[in-house]
Every structure is written in structure tokens, then in C-alpha cells.
Amino acid sequence: MLRKRRDRSAEETASGKAAVLDPPINLAQRESGTPPLGELLVSAGAIEADDLAGLLSRQTDTGRRFGDLLLEHGIVSDEQLTKALSRQLRVPEIDLRLEDPMPAALALVSESVARSLDIVPIDLHERALTVAVADPLDKRVVSALRALPVERVVVRMASTSDIRNTINLSYKALTGIGEFVEGFAAASQPLVEAAAPAVTLGGSNAPVVEVVNRLVAQALRDRASDIHLEPGPDDLRVRYRIDGALHDVLRLPITMGPAIISRIKIMADMNIVEKRRPQDGQFQTVVDKRELDVRVATTATIFGEKAVLRLLDKGRSLFDLVDLGMPADLKMQYDRIVRSPFGMVVVSGPTGSGKTTTLYATLAQISQPELNVTTIEDPVEYVFPGINQIEINAQAGVTFAGGLRSILRQDPDIILVGEVRDAETARIAVQSALTGHLVLSSLHATDAPAALFRLLDMGIERFLVASALTGVVAQRLLRKICTSCIEPYEPAPQELAYYVESGGPEKEKFFRGAGCAYCSNTGYRDRIGVYEIMPINDDLRYALVNSATPQDLRDVALQSGLRTLRDEAIRLVVNDITTPAEVMRTIYTL
């Protein structure tokens, strides 16, 4: 009897502590008079009424939830489904781009729970917690919300993508990293530098191991493309390159630098003893259930070894050229170039300007089952189904020139050369284009005419360049104004002068990003491509063969209708996609 009384008492206590959900999700879905999800999507224009019956029949056959089925097949977007569910369940939406989650609210939900259930706490006020959820019908979500140590949970809906992005921004992998730094200092005794790794790399929970793991995890969550570890006289500076710009992240004790570099070298299968000679390596890891390739490069500086880690997300999808920012009319012009059955197409630009992404978007557009497509890259950045991809391996003797020779014996139709770096590779690529193959390649050059002279500088004869090339693309990546914090502003005098000199039309208002949590207070989020497309026509060939200068070639191209990088960038300023300051930073020309 006593045991039963205790059990009942515990049950009542648990029941008394259960948080009240507002609105009551378990009842909201049963409200009478609420239209079915399919009808709501039809009224919103997300799907066609004629297709609804077929979709419902497919759902019955598969037993899947209707919304999950639509998302899986790309019939509706995440945002469209969220809006429809919000109306059906009568759970209000919340725009997470305008919210800055409170630390006190975040402390009530662990990161593991937030990620596994796609929920994110937003605000805590007088024992009432506001939470954004992606799937209010998930029983696990309802159970977790009721178990929160608050009196009331105000439930709001947001798209899965917005929730996961907010989780990445809110739950910092670097939180608590100071504890590992202190643990390293406590474990390390005054030792010579060469012995330090033996102290700090002993186990999977060693401080240095945790620090490196957290640095990589946070970089991926912050959408960083590179991690820079730079030793100085007093500390080790850590910087992330996000949307093309470097940002300081934290500073670690200089005594920790050698151990961190050694840990990274071990992961990348590099020589940890050699500290004077530059080294390259690569390793793979998994962060937040995403597979990641990491390229590592180290070099010696006066204060110790510096390392740069390039992050390549293996799960990222291929883009369409229009999605990358190429206007429809330029895309039509580019399509005519790459549809040629033979010839050489060069994509030029500095490091990090998106050349490889453009080349793969091109392959996705022109690759067909009846064609033999082969690539040679260093390294393979995108895994492309249905084509043959070769990776450079210097230790095994696989170079661009040697690999390209072997490809020519494999009966190729289309060849993608990751980068033309030397005269031998350039000559083989040009000869391949002249012998009936379509060759796509990248090249480091400032603009489209300069790319031709880069080939000449490698020793390729003018008549061969004129005969082989069918088109040249120069490109840059510009940061886009964050749409969550966009505001009008008055440009600086030099920005305004540059805009006018570049031929920008009269504009009443200029816009910029004020800075918010969504863009990490930079005012920019994501990037867009800017393209300069130069088809090689007879006038350009004649000028090139007759010893034209770079300026002569540019004049001929302009007469043929070339739209320059600066012209395209100013168009983005006119359309309030980027700022004059960003154009000056990336494409500035005298």
C-alpha cells in the first residue's frame, strides 16, 4: 500500500511539473474545420490541383506522411510546407532570421536534443519559454517540450533549414574551450618543444584533440571555407574565412601551437618531425553528420609553423549556373560556347573565386550518358556520379600533365582539367582541344583577355591559342547583403565616386546590412558570382595572331559586346544585392 501511494505521489508530481504547451499541439491537429494539408498547398499555389489526387494516391501506397513525401521529391520547398502546416495546425510561424536566442533559453535545451529533434529555444520570460520547432506532430518533440523545467512552452513553427542554421549559430562548438586550454596547461610541464605532442596527444579526450575537433566543427557551422592557424610572438591566432573574408575567432596560448599543428599533421598523415619544410596533406572527418574533406598546408614562419585548413563539404550539391548568379542572357551565350563538340574553354580568376564550382555546374549541364567525361583534379572537390574522376597524387607520380596524357588514351569526349599550372599541362590541353576533344579548365588570371596572355606566357604559340580556345570566362564572388538586416545608408564619398565612374545609373537609395546574428554581424551573407564571358570570335583571333596587346584585345572584345566584371558588379549594386564597398574590395580596377 505504501509503495502504491508513493508511486501515485510521484506521478502527480511529474504531472504537476509538466509544462503547458501553447498552443496545445496534440489537440491543434484535430481542430474541426481545418482544411487538409493538400488543399492548403493548392490554395497557396505550391502544387497544382490536378496533381493532388495523384500525390495522395502515392502517399497511400508508400505509407509516408504527405509533407515528407512532397519534400523528398522536391515538389514543395521547406518554407512552403512550413507555412501550410502552420495554418493547418494553427501554430504561428516565427522568422528566426530576426531572432537572437537568449543564453538563458539555450541553457534549458542541450545541443544534442536541439539537433536530434530540430527545436531551438528562443526566449525565456517569467517561466515561459518560446521554442521554434520544425515538426510539431513528432511525439518525441511534444514529450521533450513537456519535460522542460518551465511552466509554459510557447510553440512556434519554422522551417527545418532555418532551425538548423539557428542551432549552428547559437550552440557554439568553441563554448567551454577555455577548459581544455587550462587542461593542456595543467598537463604540460616545462618540456622541450619536440616532446610536447607526446604529452598532449595521448588519448581521444586529450585537450588538444578536443580543441582541434571544436575548431573544425565551428568552422563548418559558420560556413567557413578555410581555417588559418597563425603563430605570433605571444599567441596562436585562429581565423576563419567566411564568404571570402577573414574573421578573427580566438587566440590560444603560443605554447599550445606546436601541439595543435602536430595533431593536425597526424590526422593528415604528414611528417610531424619536419617543421621547416612546407607540407601538404588531407584527412576526412564527420561533423554534425556531414562528411568533410580537409586539405592541410603547413609552412614555417619566424614564430613557428602556420597551418591553413581548406574545408570541402562532401555533402554539398551541385549548382545550376543561374543559381550561381549568371544572368539568363549571359548563360545563353555561355551555353553556345560549351555546346561545341571540341575546343578549349577556360574559366579564370583568383584563388577562391568559384572556378571549380562553375566548371562542375557546366559539366552537370552538358554531360550525357553517351559521352565519356573524365576529370583530373587536385583534389576531387565534388563527387560527380556518372563520370570518371582522377585525383592528383604526387607521391605516386600522378601529375596534371601525366594524368592528362593517360586520359587521352581513354577515348574521352569531354576532359576537365582542374587547373593549368605549367607549360606542359597547357600544351597538352591545347593539343587535346585541337584534336577533337572539349577541354574545360581553370586558370589564374585577372580577367578574360589576361587569360589568353597567361597561356602565351607559358610558351604556347599565338596561333595555337587562337585556334584552340572557343571561349574564356573570368569570374569573382561578391558577398550579398544580408536580407535579415538590410537598411538604407549613405555611401562614403570614394564609394559613390567609384559607382559613378563605373557607369552606375542615378540611384536614390543605397542599401547595406546593419549586422545581425544571422550574418554574424558582418552585414553580408552568402555570395553571388559575377561573370565576364568572352567568346573567341574571328576578330579576336586575328588580333591575337597579329601581336595584339592585352588592351588591344580588350578593345576588340568590348566592340564585340563584352560586358566586364565591373559592369556586372555595378548591376548587382543597382539591384540592391551587394554594396559599392564590396565591389571595390573584390573587383576594383583603375
Side-chain angles (χ1 to χ4, degrees):
M1 178 66 76
L2 182 59
R3 179 177 297 172
K4 289 184 179 178
R5 186 177 296 120
R6 283 179 178 173
D7 289 345
R8 190 181 301 116
S9 175
E11 213 171 86
E12 291 171 356
T13 302
S15 176
K17 288 187 177 180
V20 176
L21 303 188
D22 179 17
I25 296 174
N26 59 329
L27 297 178
Q29 57 180 314
R30 302 171 188 237
E31 292 280 356
S32 59
T34 303
L37 180 60
E39 292 183 14
L40 290 172
L41 288 169
V42 170
S43 64
I47 59 177
E48 297 293 334
D50 296 340
D51 299 333
L52 181 57
L55 292 170
L56 290 173
S57 176
R58 190 187 307 178
Q59 180 221 357
T60 303
D61 294 339
T62 60
R64 303 282 307 281
R65 289 169 57 180
F66 189 56
D68 293 341
L69 183 69
L70 296 178
L71 281 179
E72 182 181 327
H73 290 84
I75 298 172
V76 299
S77 68
D78 199 4
E79 290 73 17
Q80 288 173 323
L81 181 61
T82 299
K83 288 183 181 299
L85 282 172
S86 173
R87 288 180 57 194
Q88 184 192 39
L89 304 179
R90 298 179 183 175
V91 178
E93 277 190 276
I94 186 171
D95 189 349
L96 292 179
R97 294 174 298 178
L98 306 178
E99 301 294 335
D100 188 9
M102 292 176 57
L106 293 170
L108 295 177
V109 179
S110 68
E111 180 180 352
S112 60
V113 171
R115 291 188 182 280
S116 63
L117 300 180
D118 285 327
I119 63 176
V120 58
I122 303 298
D123 182 73
L124 179 63
H125 183 68
E126 294 182 355
R127 302 286 296 168
L129 177 67
T130 301
V131 176
V133 303
D135 186 0
L137 301 182
D138 189 329
K139 294 180 180 179
R140 299 174 306 153
V141 171
V142 174
S143 177
L145 295 181
R146 290 187 180 279
L148 291 174
V150 293
E151 295 177 358
R152 188 165 62 98
V153 177
V154 180
V155 184
R156 296 292 180 262
M157 282 196 66
S159 66
T160 303
S161 57
D162 280 354
I163 284 179
R164 291 178 180 174
N165 181 70
T166 304
I167 290 173
N168 288 340
L169 292 172
S170 303
Y171 292 95
K172 298 291 185 181
L174 300 181
T175 301
I177 201 170
E179 298 177 8
F180 299 108
V181 174
E182 293 174 1
F184 170 84
S188 301
Q189 301 298 325
L191 300 171
V192 293
E193 181 179 324
V199 175
T200 57
L201 302 178
S204 60
N205 294 322
V208 169
V209 174
E210 290 291 341
V211 169
V212 172
N213 291 345
R214 288 170 180 249
L215 287 176
V216 174
Q218 189 60 51
L220 184 63
R221 294 176 187 179
D222 286 346
R223 303 177 298 105
S225 60
D226 302 87
I227 304 173
H228 288 241
L229 303 171
E230 304 167 338
D234 303 314
D235 52 30
L236 178 72
R237 180 168 66 163
V238 180
R239 296 196 289 174
Y240 291 165
R241 186 177 294 279
I242 304 172
D243 291 336
L246 282 170
H247 302 274
D248 282 341
V249 178
L250 80 161
R251 293 179 184 266
L252 297 169
I254 190 61
T255 54
M256 208 172 187
I260 288 177
I261 300 298
S262 293
R263 168 61 183 169
I264 292 170
K265 283 183 173 182
I266 289 173
M267 297 172 71
D269 196 22
M270 299 159 66
N271 186 349
I272 67 171
V273 176
E274 178 58 68
K275 300 178 182 296
R276 298 167 298 175
R277 182 172 57 87
Q279 295 187 62
D280 295 318
Q282 186 174 354
F283 67 88
Q284 296 182 348
T285 186
V286 177
V287 177
D288 297 336
K289 299 180 181 179
R290 294 161 64 184
E291 293 186 8
L292 192 67
D293 271 339
V294 183
R295 292 161 52 186
V296 180
T298 63
T299 190
T301 71
I302 59 174
F303 296 114
E305 278 191 288
K306 173 189 174 181
V308 176
L309 285 65
R310 169 65 60 87
L311 309 182
L312 303 172
D313 186 356
K314 296 179 69 174
R316 58 184 174 176
S317 58
L318 294 173
F319 294 94
D320 186 85
L321 290 168
V322 173
D323 296 333
L324 294 173
M326 186 177 288
D329 54 342
L330 284 186
K331 184 177 182 299
M332 291 179 60
Q333 188 179 38
Y334 184 64
D335 285 347
R336 288 195 294 270
I337 295 172
V338 298
R339 293 293 177 184
S340 171
F342 56 86
M344 186 173 179
V345 179
V346 171
V347 178
S348 65
T351 300
S353 59
K355 300 185 295 296
T356 301
T357 303
T358 297
L359 287 173
Y360 267 96
T362 304
L363 274 189
Q365 177 179 305
I366 65 176
S367 179
Q368 299 176 16
E370 60 268 23
L371 298 177
N372 178 13
V373 182
T374 306
T375 77
I376 180 164
E377 307 166 68
D378 183 23
V380 172
E381 296 190 15
Y382 292 88
V383 177
F384 196 117
I387 69 174
N388 309 290
Q389 295 177 273
I390 301 172
E391 190 164 82
I392 294 298
N393 188 334
Q395 293 180 345
V398 181
T399 62
F400 273 113
L404 191 49
R405 283 196 188 92
S406 70
I407 289 174
L408 292 175
R409 296 190 289 270
Q410 297 290 321
D411 185 31
D413 295 298
I414 301 174
I415 303 171
L416 187 151
V417 183
E419 184 180 339
V420 174
R421 297 177 178 174
D422 53 65
E424 187 179 10
T425 305
R427 187 167 294 278
I428 298 171
V430 167
Q431 290 170 351
S432 302
L434 290 172
T435 53
H437 305 92
L438 177 61
V439 180
L440 308 176
S441 181
S442 68
L443 188 69
H444 287 119
T446 54
D447 55 25
L452 301 179
F453 284 85
R454 183 81 175 87
L455 292 172
L456 297 179
D457 185 54
M458 290 181 181
I460 310 300
E461 292 80 0
R462 285 177 176 264
F463 71 91
L464 287 179
V465 174
S467 302
L469 262 69
T470 56
V472 181
V473 179
Q475 72 175 78
R476 298 289 190 278
L477 291 177
L478 293 178
R479 292 183 294 175
K480 297 166 64 176
I481 300 172
C482 176
T483 55
S484 299
C485 58
I486 188 170
E487 65 174 12
Y489 84 113
E490 186 66 32
Q494 61 269 29
E495 295 176 23
L496 199 54
Y498 178 79
Y499 175 81
V500 173
E501 291 171 6
S502 301
E506 186 175 346
K507 187 173 171 64
E508 292 184 3
K509 287 184 179 181
F510 289 84
F511 290 85
R512 67 177 178 186
C516 63
Y518 198 62
C519 63
S520 301
N521 292 313
T522 62
Y524 299 96
R525 182 172 175 85
D526 295 330
R527 290 188 288 177
I528 188 171
V530 177
Y531 300 88
E532 179 178 283
I533 297 179
M534 187 176 77
I536 307 300
N537 55 28
D538 290 340
D539 291 338
L540 284 168
R541 291 190 176 97
Y542 180 84
L544 184 62
V545 171
N546 287 276
S547 304
T549 65
Q551 187 57 50
D552 293 337
L553 275 186
R554 174 164 284 276
D555 291 341
V556 173
L558 288 172
Q559 292 172 7
S560 301
L562 176 71
R563 284 156 51 181
T564 66
L565 288 170
R566 187 160 70 164
D567 292 338
E568 290 300 295
I570 292 300
R571 177 183 61 83
L572 296 180
V573 175
V574 173
N575 294 330
D576 301 323
I577 296 174
T578 191
T579 64
E582 178 64 7
V583 176
M584 291 178 66
R585 185 186 74 88
T586 309
I587 307 182
Y588 184 82
T589 54
L590 295 174

